[in-house]
Amino acid sequence: MTWHFSRDQFALDLIASLPTEAQFAFFNLLPRLEEDPDAVTRPEGLDVDGPVRMRSAQLPSAITVLLISDHTGRINLVAVREPPAEA
């Protein structure tokens, strides 16, 4: 399947909100996301198999939450959050 990361204004604004190091890490992640998004992400929330699923990718100082659709071949960035504090 051919995958495409949706570079809409919402996604670009979320990426711009990341620290510089995380921005570079995300842009380095993009080619691998578009090759096989499930291989470079992990389940987010409920681990539900299906044609539409939420996955996350760990970046330096941030976690990106992605919506992946087998129907459209699209990967959408839906949220950015801080990683849990280390104990």
Side-chain angles (χ1 to χ4, degrees), residues 18-19 21 29 31 34 38 40-41 46 51 56 60 65 77 80 82:
L18 293 168
E21 183 180 13
L29 176 67
E34 291 181 329
D38 292 311
V40 295
T41 59
L46 295 175
S56 64
V65 180
L77 180 60
V80 171
E82 291 185 23

Side-chain angles (χ1 to χ4, degrees), residues 58-63 81-86:
Q58 176 78 47
L59 303 173
S61 70
I63 296 174
R81 58 185 174 83
E82 291 185 23
E86 293 184 26

